[in-house]
Amino acid sequence: MMIKCWWFRFRGTVIINIWWQVAMVTLYTSAIVTLNRIAGWEWLQFPMSLIQIIGVVVGLLLAFRTNSAYDRYWEGRKLWSTMTVQVRSLTRSIWIGVKGRESKDLVEKKSAINLAVAFVTATKHYLREEYDYDSEDLVSLIGHLPRLSTPSSTLPLDAQTSNENVTALVTQSEMTPARKKSLEKLMAYDFPVPTNIPIELSHYLLAYISYIQDNKLAEGFIVSSMSNCTQP
């Protein structure tokens, strides 16, 4: 787990994209210093005023880029906090507001709460471009659900390619034993569209809210509150 977290943090940086540029600049500057101090090439010296001008330009550029990056980070942080609050309100309304004390009703409520928690986890993986039903923190929540988008993958989106000869969506009713065997070795990059697990889970949650409303298992304001929690 620690190795996976470390790799995600490393993959989420720009180091992978700019390491060769940094290496080239380092070699270039090292060569200039070596030729100037060891080989005695005095004409390679730069005036100090040029360094000051370049420093001002680079400082303004870094300040602008830092502010832009922080704005994007803070916007994402606010959206994630809003989603967390909405999921908490939804699970609270399901557990407290929905009627039913029989074992069947309790199982349905717990399953709906697991779907809400799984939605947050699946969104996290989707933002990381990991399209996998069998993630360690997700499989225990949605392992019992049919997989409407088959198959899935943990490969980044830029490493995926499409295959026009393969159909992206395979429903459970169309899945025969022979077809299932042929799809076992396929990955998400074999399909034009990657798996979108959060969308699938949102459909399940909306269907459960409609089931509650049709069977009058909760008061009107409870149903309205749960519907509002599922709105973007």
Side-chain angles (χ1 to χ4, degrees):
M1 180 61 68
M2 293 297 296
I3 296 177
K4 184 178 180 181
C5 294
W6 175 85
W7 169 245
F8 169 73
R9 293 175 182 176
F10 179 75
R11 195 188 69 181
T13 64
V14 296
I15 296 177
I16 299 178
N17 298 326
I18 68 172
W19 70 268
W20 63 274
Q21 298 174 348
V22 175
M24 290 182 60
V25 171
T26 303
L27 293 175
Y28 174 76
T29 54
S30 300
I32 294 295
V33 172
T34 301
L35 293 175
N36 178 260
R37 295 189 177 183
I38 298 178
W41 292 17
E42 300 293 338
W43 58 272
L44 288 177
Q45 294 181 357
F46 297 97
M48 294 300 297
S49 59
L50 179 62
I51 298 177
Q52 295 175 357
I53 294 174
I54 294 177
V56 172
V57 175
V58 172
L60 293 175
L61 179 62
L62 289 177
F64 174 76
R65 294 293 296 175
T66 302
N67 291 334
S68 300
Y70 182 77
D71 289 340
R72 292 195 297 268
Y73 162 77
W74 188 246
E75 183 66 22
R77 185 68 183 89
K78 290 191 297 183
L79 293 174
W80 187 266
S81 300
T82 301
M83 182 179 64
T84 303
V85 172
Q86 297 284 43
V87 168
R88 288 177 179 174
S89 300
L90 177 61
T91 55
R92 189 185 305 112
S93 299
I94 292 174
W95 188 251
I96 299 176
V98 178
K99 302 176 182 178
R101 296 184 178 181
E102 298 181 359
S103 58
K104 175 179 175 296
D105 300 327
L106 294 177
V107 170
E108 290 179 351
K109 295 199 307 186
K110 289 182 179 181
S111 299
I113 292 175
N114 287 338
L115 289 178
V117 177
F119 177 83
V120 179
T121 306
T123 302
K124 176 191 69 175
H125 288 291
Y126 190 82
L127 293 175
R128 295 179 178 180
E129 298 180 350
E130 298 174 351
Y131 315 113
D132 189 10
Y133 289 92
D134 298 323
S135 300
E136 184 178 355
D137 53 353
L138 191 62
V139 65
S140 60
L141 298 173
I142 63 172
H144 62 285
L145 296 177
R147 302 184 180 187
L148 300 181
S149 294
T150 306
S152 56
S153 173
T154 57
L155 289 179
L157 186 60
D158 55 2
Q160 300 181 16
T161 57
S162 61
N163 185 355
E164 298 179 355
N165 297 325
V166 184
T167 304
L169 299 179
V170 180
T171 61
Q172 198 72 11
S173 59
E174 298 174 347
M175 185 66 67
T176 61
R179 193 171 189 182
K180 181 178 181 181
K181 185 177 181 180
S182 64
L183 291 175
E184 286 179 353
K185 297 182 180 180
L186 296 179
M187 304 295 286
Y189 54 81
D190 294 318
F191 294 86
V193 181
T195 306
N196 195 327
I197 301 178
I199 293 296
E200 296 180 14
L201 296 179
S202 64
H203 287 311
Y204 284 115
L205 289 172
L206 290 174
Y208 178 72
I209 294 175
S210 298
Y211 168 77
I212 292 174
Q213 185 177 12
D214 295 340
N215 293 273
K216 299 181 180 180
L217 298 177
E219 300 294 336
F221 69 93
I222 296 293
V223 176
S224 177
S225 175
M226 289 190 292
S227 299
N228 292 335
C229 291
T230 58
Q231 299 299 320

